[in-house]
Amino acid sequence: MTASVPEQPRIPQPPETVTALRQAVAQIAPAALPSFSRELDQAADEARQAADLAPLRRFTAQWALYVQIQRHPAVAERFRELEDLATVGDADQARRAAAELGRILDAARAALTQGRQ
């Protein structure tokens, strides 16, 4: 039996800046660009109204996590499958899917944290 070779990411993880994240999303998930723009506009409006950068920090953290997952096609595919299963599956399937989604998100957050160090 041979060991499987870990999948290489499609692109390097970009810095957590709006410009770098936008470029990454355009490259690996162009269909998500309208959501990216809409959520950026909303975060910018909230930041202006509150005179606080927290909404923009949340925005970049959320999209960095999205990119971290999408960089790995097999992980991204599994994530989409689990999202669907959590929506259309029975209660037990939905619980299992939610638990696995949580593990994927935890691993992606850990990778981002490790990348910052």
Side-chain angles (χ1 to χ4, degrees):
M1 177 156 77
T2 61
S4 64
V5 176
E7 177 185 61
Q8 293 297 311
R10 293 173 60 196
I11 63 170
Q13 180 66 29
E16 288 187 30
T17 67
V18 171
T19 301
L21 291 169
R22 181 184 290 120
Q23 290 170 347
V25 170
Q27 189 172 358
I28 61 174
L33 279 173
S35 293
F36 181 95
S37 296
R38 206 172 29 255
E39 291 176 24
L40 174 58
D41 290 345
Q42 182 179 3
D45 287 345
E46 290 173 15
R48 268 188 240 106
Q49 290 171 359
D52 183 7
L53 293 178
L56 289 170
R57 286 189 194 106
R58 280 191 301 275
F59 170 83
T60 57
Q62 171 189 329
W63 281 92
L65 188 63
Y66 177 83
V67 168
Q68 174 63 26
I69 292 168
Q70 296 302 312
R71 293 171 56 230
H72 304 275
V75 175
E77 173 71 22
R78 182 63 180 152
F79 196 87
R80 283 187 293 277
E81 290 169 359
L82 291 165
E83 285 179 317
D84 290 344
L85 189 57
T87 303
V88 299
D90 63 34
D92 191 48
Q93 290 171 321
R95 274 191 297 279
R96 285 195 310 267
E100 190 174 341
L101 284 166
R103 287 190 293 275
I104 292 171
L105 289 168
D106 289 345
R109 281 187 198 95
L112 287 173
T113 301
Q114 184 177 29
R116 288 185 202 121
Q117 296 174 354

